[in-house]
Amino acid sequence: RTGRQVLVSRATMLLLQRATSARAARRVVSGAARLRAQCYSTSLADVELAAPQPAPLCALLEEEQAMAEAASRFARERVGPVVQSMDEAGKMEADVIDGLFEHGLMGIEIAEEHGGCGATFTAACLVVEELAKVDPAVSVMVDIHNTIINNCVSRWASPELQREWLPRLASDTLGSFCLSEAGSGSDAFALRCAARRDGDDYLLSGEKLWISNSAEAGVFLVMANAAPEKGHRGITCFVVPREAAGLRVGPKEDKLGIRASSTCPVLLDDVRVPASAVLGEVGAGYRYAIEILNEGRVGIGAQMVGLAQGALDRTLPYLHERRQFGTPLIEFQAVAHEVADLTAELHAARLLVYDAARRQETGTPLVKEAAMAKLIASRVAEKTASKCIELLGGVGFTKEYGVEKLYRDAKIGAIYEGTSNIQLNTIAKLVSAQYK
């Protein structure tokens, strides 16, 4: 690099350290990119380019590091003080949701022209991971909004729908993904929610279950079958505003974990939407769901990695402070080995998640890798939270250290966005195909 390029990089890092939010960090990185482009445009003819070197999986772009740090600060300062009260009440604080939008953490991949950060999928996963260290309930709300709702609209919605919804999704409107029903969980395409054509409109009827973000959402992406005679090829995605007549959100489920994250039934009674509310193509909803849920599994993997790290972060200081027989617990070999095992397994899970995230960005197939990332990360999270309770002893069984909450939160990792058995089926099928 030329001296000018080095100066730009150094100045960028100094400004990023002073950035107070993801939006501020985005402006710094955007300006630096323009300066670098100017540097390269005047110097490439005189510079011999070195061969690109492969980077470690954990290597991050400046923008990604800045967003992770902004999310970490927000989690500590705004989420941490209300984690226990939100868990006990089973309710997400409106101030937390507003703060996430204000800090640019709800439009991570949305293009800048629509008010988003225009950042990478890895950046979104890093934000999910950092938030999960403090509260996995807040983390999954952000994950679903960014990796599923925003990306569905950005990727397949018409220009008109994008102009209508992307600025709102980046600034003040939470989204919810309505796929599951009473008879369609793992068999997602057995859904019975119907979309009946009525002139220039569609009438949506049916009941969705286990719908995350539904209590607070301002817009719903509803999967309904517009041509039942075609089977799953009739499934279509509709963009439905909360105020649509006939749409009703039922009472929240009283859950074991991630209690502040709302999970409710969504009932549709002849909800009328215009044909322009179809996201993408009629009959292509099943394909959109498959693709976006593969990516969503990477986000859940990031959530589980963050949860496991949060459990260790709460436990390690205690192991250094607590003494038995005149010796800190961490100095007992059995305890130290337990921590070493957990740390190694967590690192392996994190690498699986980061690898899958980079695959998404490069357009590399990731179905198997996403399944492996979610499967292993969910196992690691559950094991780590459980072992941390044991390492903490009696205090781990109380609410004082917050690890018991993480233990409850971890269980969902083996269930939502594809159960562990479904992930195993997917991995086995793809591996077997390589040898046929």
Side-chain angles (χ1 to χ4, degrees):
R1 295 187 295 175
T2 66
R4 289 174 66 194
Q5 293 160 9
V6 172
L7 287 174
V8 169
S9 293
R10 290 177 178 172
T12 300
M13 290 306 297
L14 287 172
L15 290 170
L16 284 174
Q17 291 171 6
R18 299 175 184 174
T20 57
S21 70
R23 289 189 188 278
R26 173 172 55 82
R27 288 194 293 270
V28 170
V29 174
S30 179
R34 288 193 294 272
L35 286 174
R36 287 197 193 92
Q38 293 172 8
C39 292
Y40 277 107
S41 67
T42 58
S43 61
L44 276 178
D46 305 317
V47 178
E48 183 178 349
L49 296 178
Q53 298 297 314
L57 279 176
C58 288
L60 304 177
L61 302 175
E62 293 170 353
E63 177 187 47
E64 293 166 346
Q65 185 64 47
M67 294 208 72
E69 291 171 1
S72 179
R73 283 196 301 272
F74 182 86
R76 292 193 309 271
E77 297 170 6
R78 299 283 292 275
V79 180
V82 295
V83 169
Q84 186 170 345
S85 62
M86 290 197 304
D87 183 66
E88 292 173 353
K91 186 177 187 301
M92 190 71 64
E93 291 280 352
D95 182 62
V96 169
I97 301 175
D98 292 342
L100 290 164
F101 279 110
E102 290 166 6
H103 283 72
L105 300 177
M106 299 299 266
I108 298 171
E109 294 180 81
I110 291 177
E112 292 184 67
E113 65 185 280
H114 293 300
C117 295
T120 64
F121 182 72
T122 295
C125 290
L126 291 168
V127 168
V128 169
E129 179 182 346
E130 291 299 326
L131 292 171
K133 293 176 184 178
V134 176
D135 190 355
V138 173
S139 173
V140 73
M141 178 181 70
V142 172
D143 171 44
I144 292 168
H145 184 82
N146 278 285
T147 68
I148 295 182
I149 303 300
N150 292 351
N151 285 352
C152 274
V153 177
S154 295
R155 197 169 299 168
W156 297 301
S158 66
E160 293 75 20
L161 282 175
Q162 290 181 359
R163 286 193 294 269
E164 178 181 1
W165 287 107
L166 287 177
R168 295 179 62 181
L169 290 168
S171 61
D172 60 15
T173 302
L174 187 66
S176 182
F177 190 69
C178 301
L179 175 62
S180 296
E181 298 179 8
S184 59
S186 294
D187 183 11
F189 299 143
L191 63 83
R192 299 176 65 86
C193 185
R196 188 175 76 257
R197 194 67 190 251
D198 184 39
D200 293 333
D201 300 332
Y202 284 91
L203 295 176
L204 308 183
S205 297
E207 182 176 352
K208 299 293 183 176
L209 290 180
W210 312 108
I211 305 304
S212 299
N213 292 0
S214 48
E216 304 85 6
V219 63
F220 299 82
L221 300 189
V222 178
M223 292 291 180
N225 202 320
E229 69 280 2
K230 296 181 180 179
H232 68 275
R233 296 186 183 278
I235 296 174
T236 303
C237 184
F238 295 87
V239 182
V240 184
R242 187 183 189 91
E243 61 272 17
L247 185 149
R248 182 167 64 87
V249 177
K252 289 185 288 188
E253 301 289 347
D254 189 7
K255 306 193 300 289
L256 170 73
I258 57 166
R259 291 176 51 78
S261 167
S262 63
T263 306
C264 314
V266 174
L267 298 93
L268 303 116
D269 183 10
D270 280 347
V271 175
R272 182 177 293 276
V273 294
S276 60
V278 172
L279 187 144
E281 301 175 8
V282 174
Y286 77 96
R287 177 164 54 85
Y288 303 153
I290 289 173
E291 184 173 333
I292 208 68
L293 289 176
N294 281 327
E295 298 175 13
R297 285 165 188 154
V298 183
I300 296 302
Q303 180 205 23
M304 292 293 113
V305 164
L307 186 157
Q309 187 65 64
L312 284 173
D313 290 345
R314 288 164 172 79
T315 303
L316 265 296
Y318 180 85
L319 298 182
H320 285 81
E321 297 165 5
R322 172 73 168 168
R323 303 174 75 90
Q324 288 290 276
F325 308 103
T327 303
L329 294 184
I330 193 64
E331 294 184 13
F332 289 98
Q333 189 180 63
V335 173
H337 284 184
E338 195 88 78
V339 170
D341 271 338
L342 296 174
T343 302
E345 291 173 6
L346 174 55
H347 187 62
R350 180 177 281 116
L351 293 179
L352 281 169
V353 170
Y354 287 13
D355 174 59
R358 293 301 187 199
R359 283 173 171 269
Q360 188 273 356
E361 293 167 12
T362 58
T364 307
L366 76 155
V367 176
K368 180 178 68 178
E369 288 73 18
M372 292 192 296
K374 180 183 182 295
L375 174 71
I376 300 303
S378 63
R379 287 177 175 175
V380 167
E382 191 171 341
K383 176 181 176 180
T384 302
S386 176
K387 290 294 183 182
C388 283
I389 287 177
E390 294 175 19
L391 290 170
L392 288 166
V395 297
F397 203 66
T398 70
K399 296 183 181 295
E400 180 181 359
Y401 282 76
V403 180
E404 65 83 30
K405 176 189 180 299
L406 295 179
Y407 181 52
R408 290 186 283 110
D409 291 346
K411 191 63 211 177
I412 192 62
I415 300 172
Y416 61 7
E417 299 223 18
T419 66
S420 290
N421 281 340
I422 291 295
Q423 307 314 312
L424 288 168
N425 285 349
T426 298
I427 297 164
K429 179 181 178 180
L430 292 171
V431 170
S432 177
Q434 296 173 354
Y435 293 88
K436 288 183 178 179

